[in-house]
Amino acid sequence: GKISALDALLGFDAGGYELAQPRILTACRALDKLAGRGVADFAEQGATLDDGAEQNLLQLPYQKCSLDAANGHGQLSFFLGSFAHPSVDLGGVDVLFTDSLLWTDATMRDLARKANAMRPGSIIISFKPFEGEAFRSEGRLTLPCSRYPETEFEVQRVVDVASKHQAQQ
């Protein structure tokens, strides 16, 4: 949820998806703190997802907590579930972060197909790179994560494939 929270603080509308109940509760507590509301004890709603359980990637996500846009920051919402679900549209996403260390090749292909809908210029930060001509490498970025204090992520930019083909002709 750190990237989503940073996006919201910079004025963007942001959303974060977590697969595991403990992670979504941590994100919602951090959101509450950020909002100055004090730390709430969030009710356990709906089915819980196993931490890292890829078989749960297609469970319908639902909003667990949110913060409305105000005072210079954007809207921030956290969802329990996966952005890989068919109902999630990435067309309006400007920054996508996924710690894809455990994703299979098939899951990465599915996410790349969804990310093709992102606008040209959008940024993807992922442990594993997204494959396809719509994604141009911008280098690597070292960030802290829950596994290690320093983890290298691939940074990619979504390119306009139609314009790219026209320029090559």
Side-chain angles (χ1 to χ4, degrees):
K2 291 183 283 277
I3 299 294
S4 300
L6 179 59
D7 287 346
L9 287 172
L10 291 172
F12 298 100
D13 291 339
Y17 291 81
E18 294 290 353
L19 289 173
Q21 189 76 16
R23 295 182 70 86
I24 191 70
L25 294 176
T26 298
C28 287
R29 286 186 182 107
L31 183 143
D32 234 24
K33 236 175 149 174
L34 182 67
R37 297 187 291 225
V39 178
D41 185 19
F42 291 92
E44 304 288 327
Q45 300 172 3
T48 61
L49 301 177
D50 297 328
D51 197 7
E54 193 157 352
Q55 66 270 21
N56 291 321
L57 286 176
L58 295 181
Q59 182 170 337
L60 180 65
Y62 65 92
Q63 184 174 307
K64 193 77 171 175
C65 58
S66 67
L67 175 64
D68 291 335
N71 302 324
H73 65 76
Q75 170 143 356
L76 177 57
S77 299
F78 286 111
F79 300 84
L80 180 61
S82 174
F83 64 86
H85 190 274
S87 69
V88 177
D89 177 15
L90 298 181
V93 173
D94 293 314
V95 179
L96 174 74
F97 174 85
T98 179
D99 190 356
S100 56
L101 174 69
L102 300 176
W103 298 161
T104 64
D105 290 343
T107 298
M108 289 302 295
R109 282 191 299 275
D110 289 345
L111 292 177
R113 273 193 293 278
K114 287 180 74 77
N116 272 309
M118 294 170 67
R119 294 184 288 253
S122 298
I123 298 292
I124 297 170
I125 304 165
S126 177
F127 185 82
K128 294 179 183 178
F130 281 43
E131 300 294 328
E133 61 183 27
F135 312 111
R136 180 182 71 217
S137 178
E138 296 288 335
R140 300 200 48 86
L141 177 65
T142 302
L143 296 170
C145 72
S146 56
R147 285 186 315 280
Y148 305 107
E150 292 187 352
T151 302
E152 277 201 8
F153 290 88
E154 182 73 26
V155 179
Q156 294 174 286
R157 186 174 303 274
V158 177
V159 297
D160 184 348
V161 176
S163 295
K164 184 178 175 183
H165 285 294
Q166 290 172 353
Q168 291 175 347
Q169 294 177 357

